[in-house]
Amino acid sequence: QAACDVMPLKDLFSRKKDKVPAAAGAPPPAKSAGADPITALFEQYKEPDEDRIGPEGIMQLCSDMNVDPSDVKVLIMAWQFDAEQQGYFSRGEWKKGLATLRADSPPVMLARLDVLDKQLRDSTKSSAYRDFYRFAFRFSRTPGQKALEIDTVKALLPIVLPAAHPHVSRLTAFLEASPGVRGFTEDQWNSFLIFSHEIAEDFSNFDPEGAWPSVLDDFVTWCKQ
């Protein structure tokens, strides 16, 4: 697979098309008269020639929320929108997502995303967090691929899981030192979340005969060396 097919996490929402940039200081598109705020925002951020918000619109939205495109809040937003394609929000996803967030402006969106971010990080065993964690895998895959590239796994795990979450830093170090591990399947990704909750940091309760994916067996062996 060509290197150009691998999409770093920070680029999930920043693919740009080749087009003439807007003039500096140009005003945003006029809002439709009588449109509800959610529709008006969609019209403001959408592609000029398509009925969807694209990379440029999402980058502008991030700027308006004062959020870096690589911030986990942008991934949480995509999860709330149930977005299907990296770098794009359809009209339906936008309207449903903002209704779910109960937001109709960038500042309110940011406030709602801040709350969700804290709730998810405070309860990584909750069903909501599991749903978000699984969404992060599916959303971050290169289109058409079943596995997640290892560079993306290494970038994604420390963002979707709290900084001090068990095993994360050592797993990323293991992956860095293991060029033979070329991808993470969805089963391996989901199993790591369970592993991180159930297995002690000294691996004292790890059963090598257990039903863990082999990559996690190899990870434990590597850590014990």
Side-chain angles (χ1 to χ4, degrees):
Q1 183 174 356
C4 63
D5 290 335
V6 178
M7 180 181 295
L9 178 67
K10 66 183 178 64
D11 293 333
L12 289 182
F13 291 98
S14 57
R15 281 179 168 175
K16 291 185 178 293
K17 298 179 181 177
D18 295 329
K19 59 171 66 176
V20 178
K31 296 181 180 180
S32 302
D36 68 89
I38 291 176
T39 299
L41 275 180
F42 182 85
E43 295 295 330
Q44 177 179 329
Y45 292 120
K46 81 178 188 71
E47 297 280 296
D49 54 348
E50 298 181 64
D51 194 42
R52 62 179 180 173
I53 296 172
E56 290 84 357
I58 293 175
M59 293 290 283
Q60 184 58 54
L61 173 61
C62 290
S63 176
D64 291 345
M65 292 193 298
N66 197 28
V67 168
D68 189 277
S70 64
D71 193 296
V72 71
K73 294 182 187 67
V74 182
L75 191 58
I76 293 172
M77 177 171 63
W79 170 55
Q80 290 290 289
F81 287 12
D82 199 19
E84 292 187 358
Q85 184 178 0
Q86 297 171 1
Y88 296 91
F89 293 143
S90 70
R91 183 182 291 270
E93 290 168 349
W94 177 262
K95 295 182 75 171
K96 179 181 177 182
L98 287 191
T100 300
L101 285 174
R102 294 180 295 112
D104 59 6
S105 69
V108 177
M109 290 172 69
L110 177 59
R112 303 290 193 228
L113 293 171
D114 279 337
V115 170
L116 280 171
D117 185 17
K118 185 177 187 309
Q119 289 175 342
L120 291 170
R121 291 179 180 277
D122 286 349
S123 185
T124 58
K125 293 183 179 180
S126 68
S127 60
Y129 181 83
R130 288 195 302 272
D131 187 65
F132 167 66
Y133 181 85
R134 291 168 180 168
F135 171 85
F137 176 91
R138 297 190 300 270
F139 188 71
S140 302
R141 278 183 303 196
T142 298
Q145 299 297 312
K146 292 185 177 181
L148 199 60
E149 283 91 354
I150 287 301
D151 284 346
T152 305
V153 174
K154 291 186 294 187
L156 193 58
L157 276 175
I159 291 177
V160 300
L161 285 163
H165 196 78
H167 305 299
V168 172
S169 61
R170 284 193 293 181
L171 180 67
T172 55
F174 163 72
L175 295 175
E176 190 71 40
S178 306
V181 183
R182 304 184 64 181
F184 245 49
T185 66
E186 190 164 5
D187 177 65
Q188 291 168 335
W189 175 264
N190 293 337
S191 293
F192 177 70
L193 181 62
I194 300 169
F195 179 97
S196 71
H197 287 140
E198 294 185 359
I199 303 302
E201 293 195 65
D202 63 359
F203 306 111
S204 57
N205 63 339
F206 177 77
D207 179 5
E209 301 301 320
W212 299 109
S214 60
V215 69
L216 295 179
D217 293 331
D218 295 341
F219 164 60
V220 174
T221 299
W222 180 83
C223 288
K224 289 182 173 181
Q225 289 175 350

